[in-house]
């Protein structure tokens, strides 16, 4: 970009550095050199074969201007012939999931400018822009993305939409190229399907993510790619922390948070804390975690129920509120005894709650209410015992 003009534009210096890096990368590369850098584990013959079916298309960065219109004006002043702003649905949705923000609260656009590659090959710099007006409360997204650059990438465009070719390219990138699937999506505004690949261990941020672009909507290959997008360690961590989600949902049900949110639209977290008789900071933490689970959506300093969160209301049809209490209560406690079931073959639920019932029946009421009593869980045990006797249903052996 024109350095003499870049000094007075309103673009943040950190964003200018990223844009200049992306433009500079395009000018010194072509399809062959990009494949050599992004897929170094492929042999020269394999890189040549991949190059027969795709071409270097663009580099992309994410920046954070106060407004998208202001950014377009400044980029043009810097010598980039950017076109019209188009919405970025894929990046918006990724940011929404990553930071637990409602999609409608994030204005993300794409600005593109032609930049010739090495040997004059036509390419583009693709600038994703999240509008961050003053006081928008998006500082955590700005800090996180500037530190990790999770949307920066280099893109190649497939020369054909043939399913066999696309599947072969995807397999080559992951199997031989040792990159991991990193999600993707379809942008209806551009009628294009994007598949992302990543290698988080690479030192240069721009080399960590590769995008494969193809025209049209390709739901089959997109679904297959998304199903492989969770890295094994990340997926295992999700499974190991499943208890956190169970308890968070159960606590929300115990507090009847869904009822309070539905009946007090726009209520601040301070008001919700008063309504639920909870500590404000702790409740706000719980709500933010529930947002990452898709139970609520954050909007500034307030939260609202998602379609899934509506199912935790006590007054809605097909409410799952009772099951949330059950799964976070007696079922949760009985699964804590799973090791006993595996070793002995006996039901952990029966072992846990029958023992508690015996304790209750042989202990005086005054002892049960004593602070030193070690049978604090007895009320849910008694309730569950009554429930199971009414339904004549017992939980699975493992539970």
């Amino acid at each position: 970009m024109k350095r003499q003009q870049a000094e007075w534009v309103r673009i943040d210096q950190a964003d200018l550095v990223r844009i200049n890096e992306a433009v500079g990368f395009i000018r010194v590369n072509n399809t062959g050199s990009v494949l050599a850098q992004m897929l170094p584990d492929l042999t020269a013959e394999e890189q040549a074969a991949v190059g027969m079916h795709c071409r270097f298309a663009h580099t992309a960065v994410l920046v954070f201007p106060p407004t998208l219109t202001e950014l377009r004006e400044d980029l043009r002043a810097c010598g980039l012939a950017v076109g019209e702003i188009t919405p970025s649905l894929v990046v918006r949705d990724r940011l929404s999931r990553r930071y637990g923000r409602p999609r409608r609260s994030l204005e993300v656009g794409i600005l593109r400018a032609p930049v010739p590659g090495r040997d004059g090959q036509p390419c583009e710099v693709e600038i994703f822009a999240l509008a961050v007006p003053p006081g928008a409360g998006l500082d955590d997204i700005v800090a996180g993305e500037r530190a990790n650059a999770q949307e920066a990438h280099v893109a190649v465009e497939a020369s054909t939409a043939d399913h066999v070719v696309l599947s072969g390219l995807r397999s080559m990138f992951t199997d031989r190229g040792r990159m991991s699937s990193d999600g993707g999506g379809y942008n209806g505004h551009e009628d294009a399907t994007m598949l992302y690949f990543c290698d988080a261990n690479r030192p240069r941020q721009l080399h960590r993510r590769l995008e494969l672009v193809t025209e049209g909507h390709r739901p089959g290959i997109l679904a297959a790619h998304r199903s492989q997008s969770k890295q094994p360690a990340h997926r295992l961590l999700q499974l190991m922390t499943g208890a956190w989600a169970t308890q968070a949902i159960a606590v929300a049900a115990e507090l009847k948070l869904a009822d309070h949110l539905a009946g007090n639209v726009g209520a601040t977290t301070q008001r919700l804390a008063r309504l639920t008789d909870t500590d404000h900071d702790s409740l706000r933490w719980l709500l933010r975690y529930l947002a990452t689970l898709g139970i609520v959506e954050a909007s500034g300093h307030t939260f609202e129920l998602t379609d899934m969160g509506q199912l935790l209301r006590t007054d809605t049809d097909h409410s799952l509120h009772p099951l949330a209490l059950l799964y976070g209560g007696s079922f949760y406690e009985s699964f804590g005894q799973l090791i006993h079931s595996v070793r002995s073959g006996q039901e952990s639920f029966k072992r846990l709650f029958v023992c508690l019932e015996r304790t209750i029946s042989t202990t005086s009421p005054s002892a049960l209410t004593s602070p030193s009593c070690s049978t604090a869980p007895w009320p849910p045990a008694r309730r569950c015992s009554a429930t199971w006797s009414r339904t004549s249903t017992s939980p699975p052996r493992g539970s």
Side-chain angles (χ1 to χ4, degrees), residues 286-336:
L286 174 64
L287 285 164
R288 290 191 69 92
Y289 181 64
L290 290 171
T292 68
L293 301 179
I295 305 296
V296 300
E297 286 188 343
S299 180
H301 297 293
T302 65
F303 292 84
E304 59 186 59
L305 294 171
T306 62
D307 290 343
M308 183 164 57
Q310 294 283 349
L311 295 172
L312 289 177
R313 291 173 58 178
T314 59
D315 59 350
T316 189
D317 292 337
H318 311 296
S319 171
L320 296 183
H321 180 270
L323 280 180
L325 293 174
L326 180 64
Y327 289 171
S330 56
F331 274 22
Y332 186 87
E333 293 179 56
S334 63
F335 264 102

Side-chain angles (χ1 to χ4, degrees), residues 17-297:
V17 169
R18 293 185 185 278
I19 294 170
N20 279 321
E21 180 186 13
V23 170
F25 182 89
I26 294 173
R27 287 176 173 160
V28 298
N29 283 288
N30 58 19
T31 299
S33 62
V34 163
L35 294 176
Q37 293 176 70
M38 301 301 294
L39 301 167
D41 292 315
L42 268 59
T43 65
E45 291 77 12
E46 289 171 332
Q47 291 173 8
V50 169
M52 292 176 62
H53 298 287
C54 62
R55 69 171 188 87
F56 175 34
H58 67 257
T59 58
V61 292
L62 174 62
V63 298
F64 309 94
T67 70
L68 302 188
T69 302
E70 178 181 296
L71 175 65
R72 182 178 60 182
E73 294 171 354
D74 285 351
L75 290 173
R76 287 176 174 174
C78 290
L80 286 177
V82 294
E84 295 302 311
I85 303 169
T86 58
S88 175
L89 306 183
V90 175
V91 172
R92 180 203 64 183
D93 291 352
R94 285 167 61 90
L95 292 175
S96 172
R97 289 191 299 269
R98 191 176 297 146
Y99 295 95
R101 301 298 181 89
R103 288 177 294 181
R104 65 177 177 273
S105 70
L106 303 177
E107 182 187 6
V108 183
I110 311 174
L111 298 95
R112 294 186 177 89
V115 177
R118 196 169 78 190
D119 306 326
Q121 179 177 337
C123 294
E124 290 182 322
V125 59
E126 187 173 86
I127 301 170
F128 296 107
L130 169 64
V132 185
L138 301 177
D139 293 347
D140 57 330
I141 299 181
V142 176
E145 293 303 310
R146 280 183 173 157
N148 301 303
Q150 297 187 77
E151 298 305 326
H153 63 262
V154 174
V156 293
E157 182 178 0
S159 58
T160 175
D162 181 80
H163 183 82
V164 174
V165 172
L166 293 176
S167 297
L169 289 172
R170 194 170 69 86
S171 296
M172 186 67 77
F173 293 173
T174 56
D175 297 341
R176 295 287 298 122
R178 299 183 183 180
M179 299 194 83
S180 301
S181 300
D182 190 36
Y186 169 70
N187 191 330
H189 292 279
E190 301 177 346
D191 191 29
T193 297
M194 287 75 72
L195 307 179
Y196 293 105
F197 306 82
C198 75
D199 183 350
N201 296 320
R202 296 183 181 179
R204 189 176 179 184
Q205 289 181 333
L206 199 58
H207 288 171
R208 293 174 185 171
R209 298 182 71 239
L210 177 65
E211 178 188 34
L212 175 62
V213 185
T214 182
E215 64 179 10
H217 189 198
R218 311 297 166 192
I221 196 165
L222 183 58
H225 188 72
R226 282 174 168 170
S227 69
Q228 297 179 355
S229 292
K230 295 295 185 183
Q231 297 184 25
H234 184 264
R235 178 59 181 150
L236 182 58
L237 282 172
Q238 282 189 318
L239 294 173
M240 290 191 297
T241 57
W244 301 357
T246 301
Q247 281 299 297
I249 294 170
V251 169
E254 182 74 21
L255 297 173
K256 296 187 177 179
L257 264 179
D259 290 351
H260 289 299
L261 286 167
N264 299 272
V265 177
T268 63
T269 52
Q270 288 91 341
R271 174 163 170 73
L272 288 173
R274 291 194 297 270
L275 290 170
T276 56
D277 192 24
T278 54
D279 175 74
H280 171 248
D281 290 338
S282 298
L283 179 64
R284 185 172 55 182
W285 177 91
L286 174 64
L287 285 164
R288 290 191 69 92
Y289 181 64
L290 290 171
T292 68
L293 301 179
I295 305 296
V296 300
E297 286 188 343

